[in-house]
Amino acid sequence: MLELERTFLAKSLPAGLKECRNKEIVALYVPNSSELAKLRIRNVGDFCEITKKEMLRGNDSSEQEEHTIHLTKEEYAVLSKLPGKRFRKIRYYCSHEGRTAEIDVYQDNLNGLVLIDFEFKTREEKDAFEMPDFCLAEVTQSKEFAGGFMAGRTYEQMEEYLKKYGYKKLFLE
């Protein structure tokens, strides 16, 4: 499946975020030794999967081939015990100008970090999309904000990348 996506650092949390539909996501990236792991095992609410993402055009992270296999709870329970790098986040699905903003509020070691994804059906839609005012900067092409890089890191370890954008910690109260 082709995934067309752009990722942004949040500048603020959109009004009404708490009322938006949301799911907890627990992700494990393997192998543990990879700086930017591409194989992800995750639980999204009641849904479990294993996914591998690969860039299609050079280093363009906005277009990736995504291979996903659905897992049973039993399969996930076994695979989730593999050594790897983890994180947990709450994903909020909010409407913005006819699109769905996937707002990821990271928990635990990455608490304070909020990323926002928008997915697209065509390259033209992706390329024409304008960054919303609640976003600080686009980080689609920054490997430091890919899940496989952030997994297993702490907010403090991410600060050197966040400082480049003037990012300030955000919390959903």
Side-chain angles (χ1 to χ4, degrees), residues 2 47 57-58 64 92 101 152 160:
L2 175 63
F47 184 76
R57 301 191 312 172
Q64 297 193 42
Y92 292 86
E160 70 177 280

Side-chain angles (χ1 to χ4, degrees), residues 85-102:
K85 302 179 289 184
R86 301 172 192 277
F87 62 69
R88 186 173 67 91
K89 62 188 177 183
I90 309 298
R91 174 168 288 169
Y92 292 86
Y93 300 89
C94 299
S95 180
H96 173 72
E97 296 183 1
R99 298 198 163 281
T100 299
E102 296 178 350

Side-chain angles (χ1 to χ4, degrees), residues 1-172:
M1 178 176 92
L2 175 63
E3 180 184 65
L4 301 171
E5 181 178 77
R6 290 176 62 188
T7 302
F8 302 89
L9 277 172
K11 178 172 37 176
S12 61
L13 298 175
L17 183 61
K18 282 185 180 179
E19 286 75 44
C20 292
R21 180 174 62 92
N22 65 78
K23 292 184 180 180
E24 179 181 61
I25 297 175
V26 178
L28 167 69
Y29 285 81
V30 293
N32 205 13
S33 59
S34 176
E35 181 185 47
L36 183 60
K38 297 183 186 318
L39 188 63
R40 174 184 72 201
I41 301 161
R42 73 178 180 173
N43 182 358
V44 181
D46 293 330
F47 184 76
C48 302
E49 65 187 7
I50 185 168
T51 302
K52 184 170 185 174
K53 290 186 177 186
E54 298 177 286
M55 286 185 260
L56 290 176
R57 301 191 312 172
N59 292 325
D60 183 358
S61 296
S62 71
E63 298 185 21
Q64 297 193 42
E65 183 72 27
E66 188 174 84
H67 305 279
T68 299
I69 299 171
H70 303 291
L71 300 172
T72 65
K73 289 285 186 188
E74 294 79 18
E75 291 166 335
Y76 174 78
V78 171
L79 292 172
S80 68
K81 293 181 179 136
L82 289 170
K85 302 179 289 184
R86 301 172 192 277
F87 62 69
R88 186 173 67 91
K89 62 188 177 183
I90 309 298
R91 174 168 288 169
Y92 292 86
Y93 300 89
C94 299
S95 180
H96 173 72
E97 296 183 1
R99 298 198 163 281
T100 299
E102 296 178 350
I103 301 172
D104 291 338
V105 179
Y106 286 82
Q107 307 294 302
D108 308 322
N109 292 338
L110 290 170
N111 197 25
L113 178 60
V114 178
L115 292 176
I116 303 168
D117 288 335
F118 288 91
E119 293 188 4
F120 306 92
K121 292 185 176 137
T122 68
R123 287 186 175 117
E124 293 76 24
E125 283 180 4
K126 175 183 65 81
D127 294 342
F129 183 74
E130 292 187 25
M131 183 175 78
D133 62 353
F134 54 86
C135 295
L136 176 66
E138 182 167 2
V139 293
T140 305
Q141 304 301 343
S142 301
K143 76 171 186 172
E144 296 85 9
F145 297 100
F149 183 88
M150 292 189 318
R153 296 186 190 277
T154 64
Y155 185 91
E156 290 72 28
Q157 290 172 310
M158 294 296 296
E159 278 187 304
E160 70 177 280
Y161 311 113
L162 294 165
K163 283 180 185 176
K164 290 188 240 181
Y165 302 99
Y167 182 82
K168 304 281 187 230
K169 280 186 172 186
L170 294 172
F171 300 98
L172 185 62

